[in-house]
Amino acid sequence: MMVVDRDDEEDEMGREFDVVVFGATGFTGRLVARYLAQNAGERSWAVAGRNEAKLSALVDELGALAPGAGEPKVVVADVGDEGSLRAMAARTRVVCTTVGPYALYGEAVVRACVEEGADYCDLTGEMDWVAEMIEGYEEAARSAGVRVVHSCGFDSIPSDLGVLLLQKEAQKRWGGPAEVARFYLWDARGGFSGGTVASAAETVERAARDAKVRERLADPYALYPAGEAPGQDSGPQDGARFDKAIGAWTGPFMMARVNEKVVRRSNALRGFEYGRGFRYGEVVRLGRGVGGAVGAWSMALGLGGFVAGLAFGPTRALLKRFVLPAAGEGPSEKTMEGGSFCVKVYGWKDEASRKAGDAPVVVRVEADKDPGYGATALMLSESAMLLSEGVEAAEEGAVKGGVLTTAAAMGDALIERLRGAGMVFEVE
């Protein structure tokens, strides 16, 4: 693999764009392009994909949405043409890609970015694929000073940066980390798209035919750096439990298997700031009493049935045909505009402190946008723009190259940027 040394050659290469949005005519890619059209300011950026006519029509649409803003350029690139991907990556500081499922279409984009010295960001929740990217590209990306940053949307920024803020506050209060942390999805309203369904279905299908994929999905420490001994966490909560810390029933969170792995990798990449014995889990907060218990068990059974349905070929086909949105489809404008989410992350000094009922540190993360699309477009766009400003714009001490998480690559700087964009990151 040919790797460009960015530190020595980036200025000489004369990057034409700060950000290229690859997959801009897809459902989520279009939302990212719309966000950049309204918020990119003086940055130079481009929309990219394989259909030039659709891209040009999108540019016209964006011009009407944000009159007076600079128009993005059009870049034609196709995941089936690695030369076009390398040409795209060579022209920009950052490739922001929404083209999934990433296990099918992502690796060629990662490889092009590493070879051409462009930073990379996406919104994948496919953790078995992320583990493959770590194995295949960590060393080359680190050597080249290229930041490959996965999961820059609702998966997994509220989790990753929420825990980071929690740990900063724990250090102030206790002089050490919170060794036990728990994420509660407090409230969420919104929809999901065909792209999300396609990624979930692809992951389940790969797991059904590949033992290595099943192993990675089941391993809580699948994203740990090579050679690091795993911690004490087991898999996510899969049933209903009453949680004394919040006085309510909790159920399994669909994305816990994604986010928990990301947060643990951040801890390792940041030099185990959260402690080598750090314990972390994610759940959904439900109600109190009998109603809460029924809701929690219903959620557990429903989630289990959904995954089982995707795993079995005939039911997967029926779900795709009659129930789930098709690729390129997603929630309505009304659903997205009425969407929102609230997450709370609780942290205790240690397990004994939690069991004793000691007061935790609590961090709240909120957005007044649909979590999967409106808020995700905001988070991914702001991540891409911050990456385009170079390593100097990241938190001091952030990791400067490799296959990274948002907390490791950008840290506090991204929290401040998202606050400026209207999100809430607050210590309660």
Side-chain angles (χ1 to χ4, degrees):
M1 177 185 298
M2 184 195 81
V3 177
V4 173
D5 186 330
R6 277 179 43 150
D7 290 338
D8 293 337
E9 299 187 21
E10 183 170 15
D11 289 343
E12 295 176 14
M13 293 172 68
R15 304 277 168 161
E16 184 178 352
F17 307 118
D18 294 309
V19 177
V20 168
V21 181
F22 183 52
T25 59
F27 189 85
T28 306
R30 185 178 295 271
L31 295 177
V32 172
R34 287 170 59 181
Y35 186 89
L36 288 176
Q38 295 172 310
N39 296 280
E42 298 300 315
R43 290 177 180 82
S44 58
W45 65 289
V47 292
R50 63 185 178 180
N51 189 313
E52 186 172 7
K54 287 185 178 180
L55 292 167
S56 296
L58 174 61
V59 170
D60 292 341
E61 176 188 319
L62 297 175
L65 178 69
E71 283 192 354
K73 299 292 193 297
V74 169
V75 174
V76 177
D78 189 332
V79 291
D81 180 354
E82 293 209 18
S84 71
L85 296 179
R86 289 188 58 173
M88 173 181 70
R91 297 173 68 183
T92 187
R93 292 177 177 270
V94 179
V95 172
C96 171
T97 176
T98 63
V99 180
Y102 291 92
L104 296 179
Y105 307 122
E107 182 174 0
V109 185
V110 170
R111 181 165 53 248
C113 287
V114 173
E115 290 179 345
E116 298 297 335
D119 284 336
Y120 165 104
C121 59
D122 68 25
L123 41 72
T124 188
E126 300 164 53
M127 291 299 101
D128 61 302
W129 177 73
V130 172
E132 287 184 15
M133 296 303 96
I134 293 168
E135 290 179 7
Y137 298 94
E138 169 70 14
E139 184 177 344
R142 187 172 61 248
S143 297
V146 168
R147 294 171 292 175
V148 176
V149 188
H150 297 296
S151 308
C152 297
F154 187 63
D155 305 325
S156 299
I157 280 180
S159 309
D160 202 24
L161 298 185
V163 171
L164 177 62
L165 182 58
L166 173 86
Q167 296 294 357
K168 301 281 187 181
E169 182 64 20
Q171 287 287 349
K172 292 178 186 176
R173 292 193 191 181
W174 303 326
E179 293 186 359
V180 178
R182 196 160 181 82
F183 165 113
Y184 299 93
L185 181 61
W186 212 257
D187 184 43
R189 287 172 288 175
F192 59 100
S193 81
T196 300
V197 172
S199 291
E202 175 62 23
T203 298
V204 171
E205 289 177 36
R206 288 198 313 277
R209 63 177 182 262
D210 189 332
K212 183 67 173 177
V213 172
R214 293 195 296 275
E215 178 184 328
R216 285 172 170 154
L217 292 175
D219 180 4
Y221 295 91
L223 305 188
Y224 247 33
E228 292 291 352
Q232 303 173 51
D233 277 325
S234 56
Q237 178 177 315
D238 58 7
R241 296 180 191 171
F242 187 80
D243 192 310
K244 292 181 180 179
I246 62 169
W249 284 87
T250 62
F253 180 37
M254 183 176 182
M255 303 318 299
R257 292 183 186 276
V258 174
N259 300 331
E260 290 177 4
K261 291 178 173 68
V262 169
V263 170
R264 293 181 191 119
R265 180 165 177 79
S266 289
N267 183 33
L269 292 177
R270 292 180 65 93
F272 293 95
E273 285 183 7
Y274 313 164
R276 286 190 174 270
F278 176 63
R279 305 287 302 273
Y280 180 68
E282 298 195 350
V283 294
V284 177
R285 179 196 71 121
L286 295 161
R288 305 169 187 268
V290 174
V294 170
W297 280 112
S298 298
M299 176 172 287
L301 293 171
L303 181 58
F306 177 71
V307 173
L310 285 178
F312 184 53
T315 54
R316 180 170 62 245
L318 290 172
L319 284 169
K320 286 182 176 179
R321 183 173 181 182
F322 296 110
V323 179
L324 302 172
E329 295 179 355
S332 67
E333 288 284 347
K334 182 178 179 180
T335 297
M336 288 191 290
E337 288 174 5
S340 63
F341 75 84
C342 175
V343 162
K344 293 190 180 183
V345 187
Y346 281 47
W348 293 268
K349 192 171 183 179
D350 50 35
E351 185 64 22
S353 174
R354 185 189 71 81
K355 289 181 177 179
D358 293 346
V361 174
V362 180
V363 163
R364 179 166 53 94
V365 181
E366 284 185 352
D368 61 355
K369 299 177 182 294
D370 167 83
Y373 296 92
T376 283
L378 181 155
M379 289 184 272
L380 180 60
S381 300
E382 293 292 347
S383 297
M385 288 191 284
L386 182 57
L387 286 170
S388 77
E389 295 172 12
V391 295
E392 299 81 10
E395 178 187 358
E396 185 177 351
V399 183
K400 296 182 179 180
V403 181
L404 306 175
T405 62
T406 54
M410 292 171 278
D412 279 345
L414 184 54
I415 292 175
E416 290 306 314
R417 187 172 198 102
L418 294 172
R419 281 173 172 159
M423 286 185 65
V424 173
F425 284 84
E426 181 176 283
V427 178
E428 292 195 337

